[in-house]
Every structure is written in structure tokens, then in C-alpha cells.
Amino acid sequence: MMRRVAACLVLMQGVAAQTVLPLLRAAYAAVPPSAHASLLLPFDARTAVAAFWSGPDFVVVADQPLPALSHLSGDHGLFSSPDVTVLERATVIRLYLPAHPQLSFSRQSDGWILQTDVSGHAGSSSASSAGSMPVLMPGAVLFPQKQAGRVLILPDPASGQRLLIAPSLGVTGGVPQGRRAEGYSIRPSLEGLVIAADSPQIALRGTAEGVVLDAVALDPLPVGEKEASSAPASASGAAHGADWVWLGFGAAGGGQKASSRQPSRLDSAQTVFAAGQPWQALRVLDRTPASEVPATSTSTSTATRNDTAQIAGTFLHAAASLLAGHTGQAQDLNDARFGDAPATRVWRGLYLMQTGQNSQTASTLLAAGFAQMQAYPAAVRALMVPQAATYVARFGDAASAALLDPLPDESAYDLARALLQARAGQAETARVALENLTASSSAQTAAYARAALVGLMLEKDMLAPATAAEAYGKLLENEGQPAALPSGPKATIRLGQAHAFALAGQPQAALAVLDRVLAGPDVPEDVLSSAYLAILRGLVFPETVRGVPAGGGTLAAPLSAADRIRLIVAHLPHVEDGPAKAKLLAGYGRLLLAGGRLDAAVAAFGQAALLQDNPVAKADAEDLLVQAALQAHRLDVAQRALDRARHPGLPEDLATQCAYDAARLAVALGDPDRALSLLERDETDAGLELRGQVYEAQKRWPEAVLVLGRLAARSVPEDGVLPEPQQALVSRLATDAAAAQDSATLLRLKGWLAGRTLGAERDEQFAMQIRSIKPLSPAH
């Protein structure tokens, strides 16, 4: 061991410190870890964490971006080389510990501390009962994690599987024993909750009671317990669920008002709510006389009745708040009690819609409960069903949209009907319907119709992108309209205009418009993220811009690389983390690398590799990270990335590139012989080029001449003008031959060139090299 450390110290002579540091770390890492190996992670009290194993790595995830940890380092030994990746909304720390030592993870006054567990029992040294037992709810599982942080979705670093991570602000002890269920598995963890989702249906969200796991689909997996009264609602009213009881719609189940007593505050609120007056229901509910507060009673029947009334009041207040536009008071619709029960989860869909959250989740819940909503009293139905139908028509997938058919034959559904016709390919029918709706007496409906009409014509190439962008601009001006432009259609119009500008090759204008849009019911957060992603993709990969059809104007002048980078940096935070962003980051990293912004390229490639769930794409991003880290002289980063990139089953071209990078890394680490051994059988152009570089770095000129001579023989034409790459290769070969005092090679090159030029400066240098030849006989 000491000989290995000594060898590292010898290499310090004439070698940059950043080259030696990884060698020293590797040397000390081979020392058996002491019983007290530890690593302090300086997370403040507002940062929630999760800690778990992923293959050979121990992973710590924080729910905040912490750039200060980018250069985190531990003591010599077990924790000496933490790998830190800072994302837009999280920080991921990986420690390569393939032996899986026993570890503990505990909260200290200055952060969290990871250490080898001297007791021999993995876990948190100051844990409470491991995160509390999960509670089966109707259609969901509640994990009572009272101090949960933001739920994060990341690919498993080892397998790429989708992980749903609920980090914790306080000590819970994690989950000591994992278990499997249909569609998901709970991973063991030292802190926080980690769910591996086998099915795309599985979702995790935070609530006031803890984190809730459920399945979101039209035909969801059986998660949690099945509700006894979960018979589907029907228009006949034969069977209704708890929603009818709590909202007071008077269904079989106890919702009828008792005539033998005075109406209670809850009865009165239910009556006005059913009459389509949610704002009046709120006024009634908010006036709570002390005499109507349920009293504590030893009677079981009285206590049950009071509890039922309290639950009904809570649900009714949240539902009325939502329909009255007070979404901040409707959060109970998303909680563990109401958000997942079959009878009330449609209200969660309405809440997600109104608060601008994920459109796929919201539209699925709304479509699944569409028949249920249609069975509600007409006055309530008018407040919620038409807008829900329009939302599903705009954002739902094909299966969700199909559940709207047939729509009620009422004018309130005409906009949704036209949008569904457009989706079904009935472009002309949809166009006529939308044109008719532009004359609607409702300013809001007319504005939505005008926006949808421009979008339809752009999609069907009836309008050029530049013309469409101009048309959207005129809609925003709202000239000649009898009423002000409502905020909902305004957001929709701006989203469409940004799309049109992007298609017209004007990304700056597109981003300027999009920056004025906030997530909401008309532009859900995932739709807004996708819009930013599409525009940034055009900046990273300009060849993907569709351009302008014939007669539709001209593309804007191309942006410089610096301007493109500036726009990307400013808007990347708006794009949700995930595989799509990973692909964008990989292209962005290439742009940074080409511009010499090495540290930024290293960060971009690191994020791309972490967010990628496809093994081959992940290995490609890791390989790009190796190349950027080598150029930035961050050899420890390059080594870790190379170790992750190389695995069986890589495509041949990627495996070859990894071998080249391994050779470059070996040279940088002071081991050229290993580099040459990796390349000795490679006779490709790239392989010969790299071997030549290794020989040149060692000043082994004769070997360099032999290798580059073979490369020149196959790539330099015998006659005709030499392109720049061949000029550079011949000049380089001549320089190596002169250094090797190889007169024969220089003379062969002179004859080979036969008067062709290498460029003025190189020609002069080559002439000097020829003149330096010492004649061996009078023939020379």
C-alpha cells in the first residue's frame, strides 16, 4: 500500500495538482475504512433528505439545489470521493461503495452526518419509529411522514427505473425493510421514503397528513383498500357515493334533510350549494354559531353523527371554495381523505385543473368521473362539467377524450365538441364550428374559439407560422371587442403565439411571450414546461425548427452560439426534470463544450446522465461527461463517469469511444503504457490518431512516425488539392519525422506532395525541415 502512495507522490513532480489528487484519493480509498469514517452534509433545517442504496452507490437526495456542494469532499478513505450532481430542484450525492458497508445517517446541529455504523446495524442513530406504518386508505396508501419535503421523481442511478422520492425534513429512520406490491415496491432506506414504480400509473404526492401513493388511470391498479360504497355513479341516480351525502344532493345513503328538526348550518349550506350558489354556501359555512359546534358525547351514535357532519362540512367547504374560485381554501380536495376515494377523486381532478397542476393526472381523473359529474343537480353541473369537458378535450389523452362521447347536446359544450372534432381529424367541421363560436355572446367562449381557430389553421398549414404569430398578436390586442379579454383566453393565446414564433424561427420572441404566462387551468404546469422544452430544443438543435412554408415570410437571422447559450441558461429552470430534459442537456453540453465553457459543460453532462433512464443514452451522456471532464482537468469526475459508462451490451461505436476515453484518461493520470495497451489492436483512423498523440506526448518520435505514416497513407490523396485536415496531418508527420531525424520519411513526403501546398506557413516550415536533412551520399 505504501509503495502505491509513494508512486503517487513521485508523480507530483511536474504533474498538475488536479491530476495528482484523484491518484491520491484512489490510493487512500484502498485503505480499509476506519470504524469512524464519516461525511458531514451541511444541509440546513429547510432541506429535506432521503438516503438509500442504488446498486453499488449509496445515494443521498436533497430537495433543494445546493451549488455550494458541487466540490464536496470527504476525508481520506471510504467517503473520499462523493459525486455531486446539482439539478434545478434537487441535489444528488452518490458514493461508490460496492461492498455495501453498514452505515448510519443522522441529524446533527450543522447538517446530516453519514458514518460507518460501529454497532453493525444499518440505520439512523437517532431515528424515531421507521417513518410510521403506512395506512391503507380507499384507493390509496398514506405514509404519515409529517415533515415530508417536496416529492421528487428521478431515475434510479443503477437501473433507470422511475423512483418516487419523499425526502424528510426530520429524522424518521427511513424504511428498514422493503416490500413489493402490485405496480410498485417500497425500497429500504436510511431516511425518507423511496418508491420504485413499475407501472406509469403509480404516483406519489405530499399532503398535510403525509405522502400519499395512488394509481392514476382510467382503470387504476388496486392500491390501498377498496371502498365498500364505491359503486360507480350513473345518470339514473340508482347508486351514489359519499359525495352525494356530503354535498347534500339527497341520494340513497342519508342525504335527505330531516323534516322533524330545524335545518342546521350544514343543511342550509348544502341547499344553496345544490342550487348552484357555492359562494352563498361558503357564507353559511363560515358563520358557525357555537351552539352548532358538535359537542363531545359518550354516546357512540351521537359521536358518529357529529363526526359525519364534520367530515361533510369540511368536504362541502372545500368544494364550494373551488367552484367559487377560492382555490387556496380547497386544498382538502387533494388530501388523503378525499383525494383518492372513488366517490370524491373527481373533485381532486377539478382541484388539480384549477390550480394548474399536471394536466395528465387532472384530465384522467376528470374523464373517469365525467358520468359521475353529469349526474349532479343541473345547477351544480353547469358550474363544473362544461369546463371539465373542454379541459379534457384540450389536454387529455385519446382514451380520456373518448369518455366524453357523447357530449350533452347543449351550447355550453360546443367549444369542447369543436376541439374533439379537430382531434378526430374533422378539420373542416371543427373550423366551421369554431368560426361560429367566435360570435358567441360569451366574451370568454368567443375568445377561446378565436384562439383555437388560429391554432387549428396553423396545425393544418392553412397559416404560416409568422402569420399565425401575427394573428395571435391581434387577438391579444382585442380591438373591436365589446368586453375586455379574459385572463384564461389570454394565457391560451400567448401559449399559441409562443408556439407560432418558435415554428417561425424566432425563439427570442417565443420565449419573451412565454415568460408572461403563469401555470393555471388554461396552461397547466406540464404544458408550460413542454412549451419551454420545445423552444429550447430549437436553440440546442437548430435543425429541428420547422421553418416557414412557401410564401410565409422568412426565418429570423440565426443567433450566435453565445446568444443561444444565454437564452438556454435563463430558461432551463422552467423545464421539468426528466428524460426529455436529459436529451436537451446533452445537446446543450455539446454546445458549451464547443464554446470552451468546460465547467458548465461538465455540469450539463452530469445532469443529463443522472436524468436519463435509457441505459444506452445514459452511457452516452456519461461518455460526453468524460470528454468534458478531461478537457477541464477534472480527472476524478472523468474516472467516475467512465466507470459508469462502461458496461456490457453497449453499441460498438459507444464501446469504442469509451475505450478511447479510457486511453486519454490513462495518459492524463500518467500511465501512457496502459493507454497504448488499450489501443494496440486498434487500426481505425481514430485509433491511430490517438496512438500518435500518446507517442507524441512521450516524445517517442519514431513510433509516432510509424503510426501517423499509416494514417497518412490511407487518408492523404496522391494527387489533387489537399483539404485542411490532410494538410495538418502531413505537416504533423513531417514535424515528428524531423524530431526523429527520419530523413527517409521527409523525402518521401516531399515526393508525395509533388509541389502541392500545405499553406504558406506550413510550406515554409516543411522547407526548413527538408533543408535540415543531412545528406548521406552525393545522390542527395
Side-chain angles (χ1 to χ4, degrees):
M1 176 63 212
M2 292 306 299
R3 284 197 300 270
R4 183 175 177 185
V5 175
C8 289
L9 293 174
V10 169
L11 284 171
M12 291 180 68
Q13 301 177 4
V15 182
Q18 61 264 36
T19 301
V20 176
L21 183 59
L23 295 175
L24 289 173
R25 286 181 177 169
Y28 282 110
V31 179
S34 70
H36 302 290
S38 64
L39 176 65
L40 175 65
L41 301 174
F43 302 145
D44 63 25
R46 296 169 298 176
T47 301
V49 300
F52 56 96
W53 287 101
S54 172
D57 291 336
F58 186 75
V59 181
V60 179
V61 177
D63 70 345
Q64 305 287 339
L66 303 168
L69 294 186
S70 296
H71 300 289
L72 176 72
S73 62
D75 295 332
H76 298 312
L78 197 64
F79 305 139
S80 61
S81 299
D83 190 334
V84 181
T85 304
V86 181
L87 302 171
E88 297 292 351
R89 298 167 183 83
T91 301
V92 180
I93 301 169
R94 288 173 286 178
L95 288 157
Y96 181 68
L97 303 171
H100 279 215
Q102 297 289 327
L103 302 175
S104 67
F105 192 60
S106 57
R107 193 80 169 89
Q108 305 291 322
S109 60
D110 51 354
W112 290 80
I113 188 164
L114 176 68
Q115 56 189 341
T116 50
D117 186 39
V118 295
S119 68
H121 300 289
S124 176
S125 60
S126 58
S128 59
S129 60
S132 300
M133 294 298 293
V135 179
L136 296 182
M137 309 282 290
V141 180
L142 169 66
F143 298 87
Q145 190 172 327
K146 291 297 184 182
Q147 290 184 295
R150 292 184 300 166
V151 172
L152 303 168
I153 303 176
L154 294 172
D156 180 20
S159 66
Q161 187 177 26
R162 186 169 64 106
L163 297 182
L164 312 175
I165 303 171
S168 175
L169 285 165
V171 175
T172 68
V175 178
Q177 204 77 23
R179 69 178 181 86
R180 291 195 61 83
E182 187 173 355
Y184 69 95
S185 60
I186 302 174
R187 291 272 191 93
S189 65
L190 266 65
E191 193 52 69
L193 175 69
V194 181
I195 305 289
D198 301 320
S199 168
Q201 293 186 14
I202 300 300
L204 193 68
R205 72 183 189 278
T207 71
E209 298 85 358
V211 287
V212 177
L213 180 143
D214 72 335
V216 179
L218 297 177
D219 184 20
L221 292 170
V223 174
E225 66 180 15
K226 190 171 182 179
E227 189 178 49
S229 60
S230 60
S234 65
S236 66
H240 297 299
D243 54 331
W244 278 61
V245 177
W246 294 335
L247 297 174
F249 290 163
Q256 301 283 6
K257 307 294 186 296
S259 58
S260 61
R261 60 179 174 84
Q262 284 291 106
S264 69
R265 174 184 56 87
L266 177 60
D267 294 335
S268 300
Q270 288 174 335
T271 298
V272 293
F273 182 85
Q277 301 176 45
W279 45 91
Q280 184 63 32
L282 285 178
R283 291 194 187 97
V284 173
L285 289 171
D286 289 338
R287 298 192 190 101
T288 312
S291 60
E292 290 196 14
V293 176
T296 303
S297 173
T298 56
S299 166
T300 302
S301 61
T302 302
T304 301
R305 192 162 55 247
N306 288 340
D307 186 56
T308 300
Q310 188 175 45
I311 293 174
T314 300
F315 182 74
L316 178 61
H317 192 282
S321 297
L322 186 70
L323 296 190
H326 306 313
T327 55
Q329 300 177 33
Q331 293 178 350
D332 285 328
L333 300 177
N334 194 43
D335 73 2
R337 180 168 42 178
F338 303 128
D340 300 284
T344 55
R345 68 191 332 225
V346 67
W347 284 91
R348 178 180 159 216
L350 288 164
Y351 174 79
L352 296 179
M353 176 185 76
Q354 293 292 5
T355 53
Q357 298 187 53
N358 185 275
S359 67
Q360 291 309 298
T361 300
S363 60
T364 299
L365 295 174
L366 291 174
F370 192 66
Q372 176 184 342
M373 289 187 291
Q374 286 181 291
Y376 284 169
V380 176
R381 189 168 65 235
L383 294 176
M384 55 194 301
V385 186
Q387 62 175 326
T390 302
Y391 184 93
V392 175
R394 286 187 65 194
F395 303 118
D397 59 20
S400 294
L403 288 182
L404 302 183
D405 187 34
L407 284 171
D409 189 17
E410 301 171 23
S411 61
Y413 298 91
D414 285 347
L415 179 59
R417 199 177 346 266
L419 295 176
L420 290 175
Q421 289 167 345
R423 289 184 58 154
Q426 303 170 31
E428 183 57 22
T429 302
R431 186 187 66 78
V432 172
L434 290 171
E435 283 186 347
N436 291 335
L437 285 172
T438 61
S440 170
S441 58
S442 164
Q444 183 153 298
T445 298
Y448 278 128
R450 287 192 288 270
L453 183 60
V454 175
L456 175 65
M457 296 178 72
L458 173 62
E459 181 186 353
K460 300 303 179 182
D461 287 333
M462 301 179 202
L463 284 179
T467 306
E470 184 179 353
Y472 281 123
K474 290 180 179 178
L475 293 183
L476 288 171
E477 293 171 0
N478 202 39
E479 289 185 4
Q481 299 304 318
L485 183 63
S487 60
K490 185 180 295 184
T492 300
I493 293 168
R494 283 184 172 144
L495 182 68
Q497 187 181 40
H499 176 61
F501 273 134
L503 292 179
Q506 300 181 54
Q508 284 177 293
L511 291 170
V513 170
L514 211 55
D515 286 344
R516 301 183 66 185
V517 179
L518 297 176
D522 292 278
V523 185
E525 59 186 14
D526 57 314
V527 173
L528 185 58
S529 170
S530 296
Y532 276 109
L533 176 66
I535 298 169
L536 295 184
R537 189 183 290 125
L539 286 168
V540 172
F541 311 105
E543 65 277 5
T544 64
V545 176
R546 188 176 92 187
V548 182
T554 58
L555 288 173
L559 294 170
S560 67
D563 285 338
R564 289 160 62 197
I565 289 173
R566 176 180 54 79
L567 288 170
I568 294 166
V569 168
H571 295 92
L572 261 177
H574 295 290
V575 180
E576 293 179 353
D577 289 338
K581 186 172 182 177
K583 184 176 180 180
L584 179 73
L585 284 165
Y588 173 51
R590 291 178 187 270
L591 189 63
L592 292 167
L593 196 58
R597 304 189 184 194
L598 301 180
D599 287 337
V602 167
F605 289 136
Q607 292 172 339
L610 185 68
L611 294 175
Q612 186 56 258
D613 59 359
N614 179 278
V616 174
K618 187 181 189 73
D620 185 53
E622 296 282 15
D623 181 69
L624 290 169
L625 175 56
V626 175
Q627 296 174 42
L630 282 171
Q631 291 189 44
H633 303 293
R634 297 175 63 179
L635 304 187
D636 51 344
V637 174
Q639 181 65 72
R640 289 194 297 265
L642 184 61
D643 291 341
R644 291 192 296 263
R646 292 185 296 189
H647 59 77
L650 285 180
E652 184 177 352
D653 58 340
L654 185 53
T656 300
Q657 183 59 50
C658 286
Y660 292 159
D661 289 337
R664 293 187 182 98
L665 181 58
V667 172
L669 290 171
D671 192 356
D673 290 337
R674 170 165 173 73
L676 292 170
S677 70
L678 290 169
L679 300 168
E680 63 182 348
R681 296 184 180 179
D682 191 332
E683 288 293 318
T684 64
D685 288 0
L688 292 173
E689 164 67 25
L690 188 51
R691 283 161 68 187
Q693 292 177 15
V694 175
Y695 284 131
E696 289 170 336
Q698 293 183 280
K699 299 184 179 180
R700 293 167 61 175
W701 307 118
E703 291 97 327
V705 170
L706 287 174
V707 170
L708 294 183
R710 293 206 297 277
L711 180 59
R714 70 171 63 157
S715 60
V716 178
E718 294 185 6
D719 51 33
V721 176
L722 295 179
E724 167 58 29
Q726 280 71 37
Q727 292 178 17
L729 176 59
V730 171
S731 179
R732 180 178 161 199
L733 177 56
T735 300
D736 290 354
Q741 298 183 356
D742 186 345
S743 301
T745 296
L746 287 170
L747 290 172
R748 280 198 298 273
L749 285 175
K750 180 182 178 182
W752 199 2
L753 288 173
R756 292 181 289 177
T757 182
L758 299 176
E761 186 175 340
R762 289 174 181 151
D763 284 345
E764 183 178 346
Q765 182 182 19
F766 184 61
M768 291 175 59
Q769 290 163 343
I770 292 294
R771 288 196 295 270
S772 70
I773 296 175
K774 297 180 180 179
L776 300 178
S777 68
H780 289 114

